[in-house]
Amino acid sequence: MASRLILDITHRTRYRFDGPTTAVQYLRLSPGNSGGQKVHSWVVDAPGDLFPWRDGHRNLVHSLYIHEPLSEIELVARGRVETVDQSGVIGEDGAGALPPDYWLREGPLTGLGSGVLGQQLRAFIRDVTRHRPAQRLDFLHELLRVIVDKLPYKTGVTAVGTTAAEALALGAGVCQDHAHLFITVARANGIPARYVSGYLLSGSISGPQDVGHAWAEAYVPNLGWVGFDASNGICPTASYVRVAMGIDYTDGCPVRGVRGGGGGETLAVNVSVSPLERRPYGPYTATQQ
């Protein structure tokens, strides 16, 4: 019998600076209700004034304003989310959402590029799509397998600003790079796709991690949005919690901002995802937010 997970999540981000600094940051750290996911409780703590709002992708964002200079900024997002395995199917976005074709747009990190890197990326896309299955869902599952083989998971090779074309040329990357490459190939084939940031329960108790997780979603007629995690070669399960979505990492990442002063910076991130309990599967309504 299928089961639900109740997940306790803590996401701690700590910045240390060489000297006092002021800052303005945009925090996309709050999950919402969606297909297969229901938020029981969630809070964001930060040393400044927080103002919640919704961005154009309907992510819940907190604008953080730090007026008094600080040498350390700690952000803590924590709460409890209930999930159920839907084989990666999120479904339609609901009333008021952007149309699927909006997600055909290129982003700064998911464009086809130019020069040698662009040529290599286009060649890869041609090779992947040469014998493309007629059914979109079949093609997306095949693409999932191809990216796992083409871009082995390896830390320290890429950075947050690495493009899909650059990651392909480097021949390795992390979840962000896998998502970017998947999205780029899907869009080149006329398939709407988007970047998703969130959390992953990687074991019975995942324990402290130094990052969250990222994957892709693609639009499939008659199913709606379906998730694809190329890093693990699977569609998301009940172990995944969706937080924010964007064209790519640039507008789907957890924290972005600017600061005044402070000199050098040290960043430490700690993510913990723990299962509180498992419940028998049963219907519930999780209204899209």
Side-chain angles (χ1 to χ4, degrees):
M1 177 182 293
S3 62
R4 275 190 205 137
L5 290 175
I6 308 292
L7 300 174
D8 272 352
I9 302 166
T10 300
H11 182 172
R12 192 180 304 272
T13 305
R14 181 180 292 116
Y15 297 89
R16 288 193 174 97
F17 308 103
D18 293 341
T21 183
T22 57
V24 177
Q25 293 182 317
Y26 299 105
L27 315 181
R28 290 175 174 85
L29 296 171
S30 302
N33 296 332
S34 60
Q37 177 174 302
K38 182 179 181 180
V39 179
H40 287 205
S41 62
W42 197 266
V43 295
V44 177
D45 294 322
D49 298 326
L50 284 174
F51 298 92
W53 54 283
R54 296 273 176 187
D55 66 14
H57 301 149
R58 300 201 301 177
N59 300 312
L60 177 57
V61 186
H62 287 84
S63 294
L64 169 63
Y65 298 92
I66 298 176
H67 306 288
E68 297 296 327
L70 298 174
S71 296
E72 178 177 303
I73 298 174
E74 184 175 65
L75 313 172
V76 181
R78 59 177 177 267
R80 184 167 296 169
V81 182
E82 184 174 351
T83 61
V84 63
D85 189 351
Q86 297 189 158
S87 301
V89 178
I90 305 302
E92 300 289 349
D93 279 339
L98 294 163
D101 283 356
Y102 167 87
W103 299 99
L104 290 169
R105 302 171 56 201
E106 287 189 355
L109 305 179
T110 48
L112 293 177
S114 59
V116 174
L117 294 182
Q119 293 171 6
Q120 293 175 345
L121 178 55
R122 287 174 172 83
F124 173 71
I125 293 171
R126 287 195 298 271
D127 185 58
V128 169
T129 59
R130 183 173 292 116
H131 303 293
R132 173 180 169 175
Q135 297 298 317
R136 178 177 294 191
L137 187 60
D138 292 338
F139 169 66
L140 292 168
H141 280 291
E142 184 175 290
L143 178 59
L144 192 68
R145 294 189 291 271
V146 169
I147 291 179
V148 171
D149 293 337
K150 186 68 175 181
L151 213 65
Y153 187 95
K154 187 176 181 180
T155 60
V157 177
T158 59
V160 294
T162 301
T163 67
E166 290 168 342
L168 180 65
L170 290 168
V174 294
C175 57
Q176 172 186 309
D177 307 298
H178 297 147
H180 285 158
L181 187 56
F182 185 99
I183 290 165
T184 303
V185 176
R187 290 177 185 158
N189 279 269
I191 301 173
R194 61 197 185 191
Y195 182 93
V196 179
S197 63
Y199 304 111
L200 171 61
L201 173 67
S202 57
S204 57
I205 297 180
S206 68
Q209 305 168 16
D210 55 1
V211 291
H213 196 50
W215 57 97
E217 289 178 354
Y219 188 78
V220 179
N222 301 319
L223 282 179
W225 291 96
V226 181
F228 296 89
D229 178 6
S231 293
N232 291 298
I234 62 172
C235 290
T237 65
S239 296
Y240 290 69
V241 175
R242 301 167 75 247
V243 175
M245 58 187 177
I247 292 294
D248 55 29
Y249 175 86
T250 57
D251 60 2
C253 60
V255 180
R256 286 181 67 89
V258 294
R259 60 184 173 91
E265 171 184 305
T266 302
L267 171 65
V269 180
N270 179 280
V271 175
S272 179
V273 183
S274 302
L276 179 67
E277 63 175 286
R278 298 176 184 268
R279 292 182 177 178
Y281 178 78
Y284 71 83
T285 300
T287 304
Q288 290 273 6
Q289 290 187 346

